[in-house]
Amino acid sequence: MKLTDDERASGRLSDDRLALAVRTFRDVGYVVLENVYDTAFLDEARAAYDVELDRHLAAKGGLAALKGKTFGENHIGFFPPMRGPLADERLAAPAVACQVMDILLGEDFRCSFYHTNTACPGSGYQPVHRDT
């Protein structure tokens, strides 16, 4: 479901659209919320992420040094530092997504796992799994 400009600006779905998102999730098992992020902010977050990924890889001895120590060939996961745009609630907890999750999970839900997965060139597929 594509957010309107007003919904994105306010971070809230109307009651009818919220009911549609919840019903879609319950019927299908997921709901896609399109147009949640401002692309300029995503560009900023991506640039910050690239810096942290490069820092992580350098600390581990580079991509080649991780061979056999990751989820799969050239598939990197790490916990990004919680600063700058990577810690911004617009990225970690978009208001409209939290509005939907409040209904589905209850208003006391918590996210306690903030991790990344990056498929570098030459990476295979990560198998389906549960993180927690």
Side-chain angles (χ1 to χ4, degrees), residues 64-96:
L66 292 172
K67 188 171 181 127
K69 299 177 184 174
T70 63
F71 303 127
E73 185 80 17
N74 295 344
H75 194 104
I76 309 304
F78 74 102
F79 294 94
M82 297 304 291
R83 62 176 176 255
L86 300 179
D88 191 300
E89 71 180 24
R90 291 176 293 170
L91 187 64
V96 72

Side-chain angles (χ1 to χ4, degrees), residues 11-79:
R12 302 219 34 96
L13 297 172
S14 68
D15 290 344
D16 290 344
R17 301 252 304 152
L18 177 58
L20 175 61
V22 169
R23 186 175 69 238
T24 300
F25 182 88
R26 290 183 173 147
D27 289 348
V28 180
Y30 65 92
V31 62
V32 175
L33 301 173
E34 297 181 63
N35 198 33
V36 171
Y37 297 106
D38 173 72
T39 56
F41 173 68
L42 286 182
D43 290 342
E44 178 187 349
R46 174 62 189 261
Y49 178 80
D50 287 345
V51 167
E52 296 305 335
L53 177 62
D54 289 346
R55 187 174 292 151
H56 174 75
L57 287 172
K60 298 293 183 182
L63 190 59
L66 292 172
K67 188 171 181 127
K69 299 177 184 174
T70 63
F71 303 127
E73 185 80 17
N74 295 344
H75 194 104
I76 309 304
F78 74 102
F79 294 94

